[in-house]
Amino acid sequence: MNNPKQIETCSIYQHEDGHFSVYSDIIINASKEAVWQVLSDFDRMKEWSSTMVNITGEIKDKGAIQSHFSFGGQIWVADHILLYKEGESFGWSDPLKGDFSGNKDNHLFKVEAISHTQTRFIQTDEFTGENVSLHGLILAQIAFDSYPKFNRELAQRVMTKV
């Protein structure tokens, strides 16, 4: 394949109990290691991502971190306990605060090798909690609108590094 097409998906699913989940993925024509290297270089994330611009703190499993998201012209910072598997995935599963308190955010970033030269990058989220009926669809729609953009920006950055 000289110039394989970039393939991506994104969907929102409402579960029977009313909570929402979002699934997005993109095929990146690079090795899993190359994708992970760019994805996990949090200090340089702001150079290529217009949505999640940084992760700071203890970059280790169960480390205390802060995620920095750009939304609506502002930077939103959220505290998390990092769920981290080197070379595989990272994310968090924490209660939300402020306007969305009473909800829980289960966010995951994952890299899967398809071959030595192709990787599936997956970004998922699940919104649960006592206020999910009020906020779940809003949160899922925000994720649905921003995750594909992040995924494409990641793919573009990886391809400039390969």
Side-chain angles (χ1 to χ4, degrees):
M1 278 190 219
N2 287 344
N3 192 9
K5 290 187 177 185
Q6 188 170 291
I7 300 170
E8 61 183 307
T9 61
C10 190
S11 58
I12 296 175
Y13 181 74
Q14 183 175 8
H15 300 266
E16 283 185 27
D17 65 358
H19 82 275
F20 290 85
S21 58
V22 176
Y23 175 90
S24 68
D25 71 10
I26 191 167
I27 305 299
I28 302 174
N29 296 306
S31 69
K32 177 182 171 183
E33 294 77 18
V35 175
W36 180 260
Q37 183 178 13
V38 171
L39 178 65
S40 63
D41 187 353
F42 303 120
D43 292 335
R44 294 182 188 240
M45 192 173 273
K46 63 185 163 285
E47 294 175 10
W48 57 267
S49 174
S50 62
T51 55
M52 186 167 66
V53 296
N54 202 357
I55 293 177
T56 57
E58 300 174 278
I59 308 301
K60 63 179 187 176
D61 192 40
K62 298 186 178 46
I65 63 152
Q66 291 185 314
S67 61
H68 305 250
F69 290 92
S70 178
F71 180 74
Q74 297 181 347
I75 301 296
W76 297 80
V77 179
D79 295 318
H80 303 289
I81 300 300
L82 187 64
L83 306 171
Y84 189 85
K85 293 181 183 174
E86 178 65 36
E88 300 288 329
S89 65
F90 68 87
W92 45 82
S93 182
D94 300 310
L96 295 170
K97 297 178 182 171
D99 292 342
F100 298 113
S101 65
N103 293 298
K104 190 173 183 181
D105 172 24
N106 301 300
H107 199 147
L108 182 68
F109 302 81
K110 184 176 181 179
V111 293
E112 289 181 348
I114 296 171
S115 70
H116 293 300
T117 59
Q118 274 196 329
T119 301
R120 176 176 286 111
F121 171 68
I122 301 167
Q123 187 174 185
T124 62
D125 219 328
E126 187 172 26
F127 302 101
T128 60
E130 63 191 52
N131 289 332
V132 76
S133 62
L134 294 173
H135 304 122
L137 183 57
I138 295 167
L139 292 164
Q141 189 63 54
I142 290 168
F144 182 83
D145 292 343
S146 64
Y147 293 0
K149 185 174 187 177
F150 178 91
N151 300 355
R152 283 184 221 118
E153 290 171 341
L154 171 63
Q156 182 177 2
R157 179 63 170 221
V158 169
M159 294 311 295
T160 63
K161 297 287 186 183
V162 173

